[in-house]
Amino acid sequence: MNESRKNQVSLRGASAKEITRDALLDRVNQEREIRNYARRAKTAALLIQRAWRRHHATESAALQLREEWEMMMNSRSGSLTGSQMSMEILRPFLFFINYLSVRHGKIGARDRDCMMSCFRIVLEHITSKDLCKSFCAMAIGSIEERRLWFYQSKELISVCVFVLSLFDYSRPRAQDAVLTSTAMRLSVILTDPKGWNCIPLDGQKTAYTAVRNLVKFVGSKRSRLYGCIRKFILTLEAPFSSKELQTDDRFVIVASVITLSLRPFHLTNIDINEKGVMESAIQQYCISLLTIPWFPQRIPAILVPALRHKSVLSPCLRTLLILKEKILKEISEMDQLEITSRKMPHVGWALANTVCLATESDTSATDSGKFTEGLDYSSYLHVVILFADNFLVSLENSRQRKMKKVETEVGYDPSAESFLDVDEKTCGFPHLSYLDLFRPICQQWHLKELLASEKGVSICENDNLSSGNPEYSSKHGLLEIAYYYSCMLRLFSTLGPPIKSLPVLNMLSFTPGFLRRLWGELEKSLFHDNIPIANTNLVCATTFTGDRSGGISGRRQKSLSKETSNKWVNMLHKITGRSPTENDPIDLVNGQTSISQIEEHPSEEWDIESLRQGPEGISKDISCLLLLFCSSYSHLLLVLDDIEFYDKQVPFTLEQQQKITSMLNTLAYNSLSRGISPQYRGLVDSAVRCLHLLYERNSRRQFCHHSLWLAPGKSNRMPIAVAARTHEVFTAADGSPSSSTDSVITTMPHIFPFEERVKMFREFISMDKVSRRLAGEGTGPGSRSIEIVARRGHIFEDGLQQLNSLGSRLKSSIHVSFVSESGLPEAGLDYGGLSKEFLTDLSKVAFSPEYGLFSQTSTADRHLIPNTTARLLDNIMQMFEFLGRIVGKALYEGILLDFYFSHVFVQKLLGRYSFLDELSTLDPELYRNLMYVKHYDGDVRDLVLDFTVTEESLGKRLVIELKPGGKDICVTNDNKLQYVHAMADYKLNRQILPFSNAFYRGLTDLISPSWLKLFNASEFNQLLSGGDRDIDVDDLRKHTQYTGGYSEGSRTVKLFWEVFAAFEPKERCMLLKFVTSCSRAPLLGFKHLHPAFTIHKVNCDAPLWASFGGPDVDRLPSASTCYNTLKLPTYKRSSTLRAKLLYAINSNAGFELS
């Protein structure tokens, strides 16, 4: 036998299958586990049986005790001592009521009667004046009696809290209301030794000690008091009905509940070792009650002052700062229990309730209110900032959850709804608004009191504000106030999209001196006195740098002294903190800023060093101040007129405006060029918005030297061609700026000089032509060119009929054939000249005021504006679309048109809103009248105005309301600003908007909107019509061509350039118009004039001695404007050439078609 087989043993005999050792051990273990499980199951069954028998026995004992207790109560006669009360009444009662009711979470009819009987007896004994008969006498008895009293009092309060938790205030039954009312009265009296009538003087200290221990229990988590109170208050309506009488049981319940919840706050002489217990109670109060939606509104108004008392509010604020991490964590856990992407976070209600309890605002007055007496302003600020930051984070998380929902749900439209339910903002009370709780924050008294309480804390001392270090809660400065209102701005913008942060911005912008204080802090922190613009003082304005005329200053003072009665000016002077008799650096007589007065500084001085790294290079504190300043000041700039900005110089002097502009310019450029982090997006957007407003104002009336706008990018701007290609590549990729360079080009193009932007514009067009050529769309005569026939007398109608439907295909070349007035086709081939003539002649007709589509402004420059009476014409919008395409074609081909559009109209084409002061460029008389109303010193009712405007159309007078029901709204001193801006808005925006939109649609068929945004309104006109500067004779001579036998050395040509150079600037412009149909030179020089300026020789017979005084050539010069050609006879003398040119250009004689 094999040796290995010899050692194997069979445990079940030779007939059983042999198994291995491991398998055998596994089987043994399984059998052991089965036996253990059976043993545990048997033990558990025995335990359950014992528990059930114990429960059955206990329940039987409780039922028997209740029977005996009821019999005893029915047969009771006479009074009981305190000890008897404890042993005979309370001891059995607490046993059976806890077992039969509290454990089951419901109250039966018999238990309700037992509770009512017990509570009444205890109340009678507590209020008894007989020491022996009072239950509370045990609180000052022996140690054993005190222990028994404390235990039974805790149990009684627990039963009372249980009763409260089951009471539904909205659907109460009479017996439930009586029981709950009695239970709450019992709890209140048990925790108030002043209600014990039997306590002698020598026992009061002991009684207060006993009550203090009981209140500690009330404030602990074990009592479940605050959770039950929260559940109860949530059943109350908001606002609390004032119809309910104060004697009503339900009112007694509410009053008792509030009293009991505030008991821990009223403990005195707390030992240092017991403060943690009280902090726990206050913590429960903050978590459970402050997070109740509409908490103060659900409480009767007579009880709210108790919640606002400094003994309650101040400990809450301090505890919130000390235990902020723990409290916020528990509040967050409450949100997770009710998680939904559109639920109002509980911290939002804690924030709103804190603001509501800390302020007392009169809803009937627009700016009346006060802070709660004795409020710790510093703690209040820090707590609101703490809550607001966490609330905003919660809202952002809700938004992200919504976006995830968008990704997972097909057809879900995120823009169709808010990420918070409307019901969650009102919490089921549609007549209330969540943001109404923040109304005091939008009133000036709120900010004024905070500023008045400021304790002069510098920014460097507040570096750890965001960390919430408790040591900073005892003081505050401007920075904390700035943080506070920054949070409010973000909150209003997030929760109130229709009006966003308008209420807060209105208050911040018009609170006297606030903007100047913000700017003072920013100036000290960012500039370090590195720009010697002026000795800027935050309290009073100074004059321009250098020695200025004393006469101007004197006239200023005289003019200002006449206007001291003007209420609006006085209010704006209050904003700046200046008196109205201080010197202003602008001459009110002339009312204009002299460009020569604006001094140029080296560009490095305008490039603020501390902002060269963008927002990342400055502290969080400075970022907060910047955000608040930019938001508030950009809002003020919307309503600040030119008189206040330039003449009165409120709220800042022009020197300060330059500093502000340089700060915003540097910040915006470096932010965009480096890329914007999401955390700084709000700051950069606000800075850019404010910068745009200042740039638009400067474009209309200069107060900054042009070098200031160029300074940040002067040393590191990208070459024009590269920048243009980068812009087009990223725009073509996704239609939006995707690179830092592209963001700079589209957001703040003024960082590039105007000439460079014109080159960029031409580069865009060149790239577009190349891309069209590659796509097979020809741009020259021949394939794919557009052929039209135009009658000389009906050029606009023929152009409209044949070209308007082409849309963007109008970019292709146009082949024009003209038909003369007599109806015969004109001879000649169009090689580009006739199409230019077609565009210029059509523009002359269509944009002529006599044609009726456009009218001229009433200003001296007589710029063009859509004629609003043209709206009655048929197909008027199609006509304006066509004119937009004609202007787009001229810009696309580089053809200059000899007219300027109104500043207001161009603003619409650039997608920009027009404000009050731009009305002076459209209707100066109306602007002066509105300024008169705005600054009117008396009662505006005397002017008998309403919110309407009257227009005449076809002999009929039309009354148009500026706002719904405007004809019934009288203009008063309170709403005159609304009237002024409503009238300006109508004239500047609403009235011409349909025409502007139609024109814009046509224009953007050929010119990309992003190309247009490179320019402001004035620059757009220059792009369309050429520069306003004098003609550069040398540049024109350098780029002139000669035909017909002329050359640069020809005698007549030399005479021409001598005469042309000697012309007056106006005469040179007239000659240029005579030849090219436009009186202005191309922006980039005559190199870019197409076709090139040409002088063609016209041979004329003249005697040889004409040069010495004989008769010269008598023929006048002529021109072919379609080819920019001057047909110049061979004059021999300069005097003759000069006389003939002047005659021709002044009489418009000699025009012909070659």
Side-chain angles (χ1 to χ4, degrees), residues 507-534:
M507 182 275 300
L508 294 175
S509 302
F510 291 102
T511 297
F514 180 62
L515 275 174
R516 294 183 66 84
R517 294 183 69 173
L518 285 178
W519 171 242
E521 290 293 334
L522 289 172
E523 189 176 31
K524 288 188 295 184
S525 302
L526 296 177
F527 283 85
H528 309 296
D529 299 326
N530 65 329
I531 298 184
I533 302 176

Side-chain angles (χ1 to χ4, degrees), residues 864-887:
L864 296 179
I865 190 79
N867 187 351
T868 55
T869 59
R871 65 178 179 273
L872 302 176
L873 298 176
D874 294 335
N875 300 326
I876 183 61
M877 294 308 158
Q878 293 184 14
M879 294 183 188
F880 269 85
E881 282 188 24
F882 174 62
L883 290 179
R885 295 188 180 98
I886 293 300
V887 170

Side-chain angles (χ1 to χ4, degrees), residues 438-542:
F438 297 91
R439 185 177 299 159
I441 292 174
C442 305
Q443 297 175 340
Q444 285 191 1
W445 67 263
H446 189 276
L447 177 57
K448 288 177 180 178
E449 287 202 29
L450 289 177
L451 291 173
S453 65
E454 182 186 347
K455 298 182 180 180
V457 184
S458 64
I459 290 181
C460 60
E461 294 175 331
N462 284 276
D463 289 339
N464 295 324
L465 172 67
S466 58
S467 66
N469 196 321
E471 68 177 290
Y472 293 100
S473 63
S474 61
K475 54 186 177 180
H476 70 278
L478 183 62
L479 180 61
E480 282 80 7
I481 299 174
Y483 265 105
Y484 178 94
Y485 282 103
S486 295
C487 292
M488 292 302 109
L489 284 176
R490 292 162 56 200
L491 185 62
F492 272 70
S493 298
T494 304
L495 291 181
I499 59 173
K500 293 193 174 181
S501 52
L502 187 61
V504 182
L505 288 175
N506 279 336
M507 182 275 300
L508 294 175
S509 302
F510 291 102
T511 297
F514 180 62
L515 275 174
R516 294 183 66 84
R517 294 183 69 173
L518 285 178
W519 171 242
E521 290 293 334
L522 289 172
E523 189 176 31
K524 288 188 295 184
S525 302
L526 296 177
F527 283 85
H528 309 296
D529 299 326
N530 65 329
I531 298 184
I533 302 176
N535 295 323
T536 306
N537 191 304
L538 288 180
V539 180
C540 61
T542 59

Side-chain angles (χ1 to χ4, degrees), residues 667-685:
L667 175 65
Y669 175 77
N670 288 289
S671 301
L672 295 172
S673 60
R674 293 173 177 272
I676 308 172
S677 302
Q679 59 180 330
Y680 297 114
R681 172 62 65 178
L683 170 61
V684 176
D685 289 347

